[in-house]
Amino acid sequence: MRSIGSCYSEHALKIADSYCSGHSNHALHSPNNKPSIQNTVTCVYKSKLSNQKQLLIAVTWSYKLIGQGIIISINDSPFSPFKLGLNSRQFRKLKGTQKFESCNLNIDLFWDLSKARYDSGPEPKSGFSVIVLVDSELCLLLGDAEQEIAERTVKNGIPTNKFFLVSRQEKYFGGAIYKTKAKFSELGECHDILIKCGVEYEGLRSPVLSVWIDNKNSISVKRLHWNFRGNQIIIVDGMLVDMMWDVHDWFFNSSSPSSRAVFLFRKRSGLDSRLWLDEERLLMNHKGQERSDFSLLICACKYPV
């Protein structure tokens, strides 16, 4: 089976400007479709130590049958990730600290989930904080009190490093509608994203994939059982974003509990990826900064995994 990245084809390429598309309530709300349930979110952040060593810090929030938890790993190391589960003594306290080593680095972790508030998914939306120190340098700070904690660390003489989100992966099960939010650039706006796999009722009944950005139809793929893999381009904040999909297993391996669909949004890199730009302003914004590419991966399963 080909990977999703091998599905590029000039026949599958299309510019779909979300600001020029019409709105359709019928397409957004189909009686045969139900919203799916999000049970895992993994965010990967990039940071750099004062010695120029680059770090990738992965934070996974999960909610499964065995309970709720968080996993933090450094540089994709499987040997010493920090795991915090609902049944563990630390998570029951919802607040604490932990020290461990990973990739020859000394990691200090601080968390406070005692007042965390959640929506429908496993990732807290407010009332929490997660802090990661690597070799006594602040490399990741998540939660409500980011500014306050950052000022406190500077006051205490702790080196503070910049970090930014490079990828986000969300796992869903049990439905055909997937709702999320994403920012495709550090200076861009947060956009509402809706993916829906349904049935077209005009003419012959046929499966259709539709993608909506801020309630405007950006992509519509008809005869999905024939076009089960492909890619198109959408324009978000003046930038080109590749959207790729692979729903092969939904049609040809539907009996397997591990059957899944994959949807990938990936921002293109470089100045030539923009359709319009104020070049002087763009160069000023990026001068002295690391390039922050971003991708959003959505995995949709029939059953919890």
Side-chain angles (χ1 to χ4, degrees), residues 24-273:
S24 169
N25 288 329
H26 174 72
L28 278 172
H29 303 286
S30 172
N32 289 340
N33 289 337
K34 60 180 180 179
S36 56
I37 300 174
Q38 183 189 80
N39 63 352
T40 305
V41 175
T42 299
C43 296
V44 179
Y45 302 87
K46 180 183 286 187
S47 184
K48 182 188 290 186
L49 295 174
S50 57
N51 61 7
Q52 302 304 306
K53 179 179 178 63
Q54 292 198 10
L55 301 175
L56 289 177
I57 305 175
V59 180
T60 299
W61 305 90
S62 62
Y63 189 83
K64 300 183 179 181
L65 295 176
I66 59 175
Q68 190 172 359
I70 177 176
I71 298 175
I72 298 177
S73 60
I74 309 295
N75 285 349
D76 199 26
S77 172
F79 301 107
S80 56
F82 173 76
K83 297 183 180 181
L84 189 59
L86 182 63
N87 296 320
S88 72
R89 181 164 55 95
Q90 295 102 322
F91 202 90
R92 284 200 299 270
K93 290 167 41 181
L94 296 177
K95 184 177 182 179
T97 64
Q98 180 75 24
K99 294 178 179 289
F100 61 98
E101 292 187 3
S102 178
C103 303
N104 295 320
L105 300 170
N106 295 314
I107 314 298
D108 292 278
L109 175 65
F110 305 84
W111 73 91
D112 186 353
L113 306 175
S114 58
K115 299 180 181 179
R117 291 181 290 274
Y118 300 83
D119 287 339
S120 57
E123 184 181 27
K125 299 302 181 183
S126 61
F128 77 102
S129 63
V130 174
I131 305 170
V132 179
L133 299 181
V134 180
D135 287 346
S136 300
E137 298 182 24
L138 179 63
C139 291
L140 183 64
L141 174 56
L142 305 177
D144 302 89
E146 288 187 21
Q147 186 64 32
E148 177 185 349
I149 296 176
E151 292 176 355
R152 193 186 311 163
T153 56
V154 172
K155 184 177 179 179
N156 293 333
I158 299 176
T160 302
N161 302 313
K162 290 184 177 181
F163 63 90
F164 49 86
L165 181 66
V166 294
S167 71
R168 179 179 174 90
Q169 177 178 309
E170 303 179 6
K171 292 184 179 180
Y172 296 81
F173 72 92
I177 298 177
Y178 316 101
K179 295 181 180 181
T180 188
K181 296 178 180 288
K183 287 178 62 175
F184 291 94
S185 67
E186 196 170 349
L187 301 176
E189 298 180 358
C190 187
H191 297 277
D192 293 313
I193 298 176
L194 171 66
I195 300 174
K196 196 196 78 165
C197 296
V199 176
E200 185 181 42
Y201 289 95
E202 298 177 3
L204 298 176
R205 292 169 60 89
S206 175
V208 176
L209 168 66
S210 58
V211 179
W212 303 76
I213 308 292
D214 296 332
N215 289 332
K216 295 187 178 182
N217 190 204
S218 297
I219 292 177
S220 182
V221 181
K222 299 183 179 181
R223 299 179 180 177
L224 192 59
H225 55 296
W226 294 108
N227 299 301
F228 50 82
R229 292 194 188 103
N231 71 279
Q232 292 189 15
I233 299 177
I234 58 177
I235 305 170
V236 182
D237 297 332
M239 297 177 296
L240 298 181
V241 176
D242 291 298
M243 191 275 174
M244 294 170 276
W245 67 90
D246 185 344
V247 296
H248 174 274
D249 283 1
W250 273 7
F251 295 104
F252 304 105
N253 194 25
S254 58
S255 60
S256 172
S258 61
S259 175
R260 68 184 61 194
V262 179
F263 308 96
L264 174 64
F265 297 82
R266 185 172 58 199
K267 188 191 78 172
R268 290 196 176 183
S269 305
L271 295 179
D272 58 349
S273 68

